Amino acid sequence: MAETPEVFEEQETKKDTDKPTLSSGGALGADTIFEKAAKAAGHVVKAMSFKGHDTKSKNRIKILPDFLKAADKFLKKANKTLKRVLPNEKTKKGRYVRNLLRRNYFQVKDSDQIIAVAPLKYGSLTEVEGGTAWAIQMAIDLGKKDIYLYDLSNNEWTKWQETPTGARFLPAPAPVLGNNYTGIGSREMTPEGEAAILALYEKPKKEVPKASGFTTEIPKGEGFDEEISREE
């Protein structure tokens, strides 16, 4: 099966491609805090969105309905672990919530580093509360990503790590922002959670080795009705 087309920013300049890039979801709470902090730091900000999405983000990238549906197989795979109820698309509310979950896939699919700020479920070291769990589980399923969680239930940084008895979130130092990262989390943010996010932008970003002797040009993907919303 062909890979899902990449999302590219039409207005993106060559200069911007050298900047760190945040992918988020345009929601209130953690998403908004990440977006504002990243913008202030001079990062490229992409808030994954769709037609009819209730968001105040000025950094929206709208994904065509047909390509939103490409996320369904990843939602179904994630749900084998989460064991939740996927929204019924026969109702207007169900379609909207399903699109929110679909856009979670596009938040994480191209990022090397996932940073979430949300509480772990009570008694669990593997599952996060709320809708953030879908994005994290899809990132886990995709593999080859560094996944960090600031656990709001304990106010500490954790990282998804393999152990002899299975993978789980274990205490870890705060991440150093990578060049291509996702910042997401709970809508209901605590002062501790907000402080944890803002502190990340005071730390130096990871150094990315520069290739020497050649350059590689990445072609733009096709199939996305993509735009940046500048609505006030």
Side-chain angles (χ1 to χ4, degrees):
M1 182 177 291
E3 292 186 2
T4 305
E6 304 292 333
V7 175
F8 285 91
E9 185 176 337
E10 294 294 339
Q11 293 94 332
E12 187 178 53
T13 65
K14 188 172 182 180
K15 182 178 180 181
D16 284 340
T17 62
D18 295 329
K19 295 180 180 179
T21 297
L22 163 71
S23 294
S24 195
L28 296 175
D31 290 16
T32 297
I33 296 168
F34 269 110
E35 283 191 43
K36 289 181 177 179
K39 271 291 186 184
H43 297 189
V44 175
V45 177
K46 298 182 177 183
M48 299 305 174
S49 186
F50 53 89
K51 184 178 181 180
H53 184 198
D54 182 14
T55 176
K56 294 182 179 179
S57 176
K58 298 178 181 179
N59 307 291
R60 297 172 69 185
I61 292 182
K62 296 180 184 177
I63 306 167
L64 279 170
D66 286 347
F67 288 91
L68 273 174
K69 292 178 181 178
D72 282 351
K73 66 177 183 178
F74 300 98
L75 286 173
K76 290 175 182 177
K77 183 175 181 179
N79 206 30
K80 289 181 180 179
T81 300
L82 297 177
K83 294 178 171 56
R84 298 186 182 185
V85 178
L86 284 167
N88 185 344
E89 289 194 90
K90 293 182 179 180
T91 67
K92 183 177 179 181
K93 181 178 179 181
R95 287 192 297 273
Y96 182 77
V97 176
R98 177 70 76 100
N99 282 339
L100 287 176
L101 298 182
R102 287 165 170 156
R103 72 86 156 80
N104 285 354
Y105 166 69
F106 293 95
Q107 292 170 6
V108 302
K109 80 180 192 74
D110 294 322
S111 295
D112 302 314
Q113 182 187 55
I114 314 301
I115 303 172
V117 179
L120 280 167
K121 289 187 72 172
Y122 180 76
S124 175
L125 294 176
T126 60
E127 187 176 342
V128 176
E129 291 278 6
T132 305
W134 291 95
I136 289 178
Q137 187 58 52
M138 284 188 282
I140 291 169
D141 292 341
L142 288 167
K144 297 182 179 180
K145 299 179 187 293
D146 290 327
I147 303 173
Y148 292 87
L149 172 74
Y150 185 81
D151 177 13
L152 290 175
S153 59
N154 289 309
N155 291 324
E156 67 175 357
W157 281 106
T158 65
K159 184 179 182 183
W160 186 255
Q161 301 179 57
E162 295 288 343
T163 76
T165 55
R168 64 197 65 186
F169 283 105
L170 296 174
V176 176
L177 293 178
N179 223 40
N180 185 25
Y181 66 101
T182 293
I184 52 176
S186 297
R187 288 174 174 267
E188 297 180 5
M189 192 49 46
T190 64
E192 293 83 0
E194 181 172 4
I197 293 172
L198 297 179
L200 297 176
Y201 292 87
E202 298 172 1
K203 299 170 75 69
K205 72 179 184 68
K206 286 184 178 178
E207 291 294 328
V208 178
K210 293 185 177 180
S212 59
F214 64 91
T215 58
T216 302
E217 192 162 330
I218 302 174
K220 290 193 174 185
E222 298 177 355
F224 281 78
D225 176 22
E226 176 193 13
E227 61 182 80
I228 302 299
S229 172
R230 302 300 183 189
E231 299 170 359
E232 298 297 331

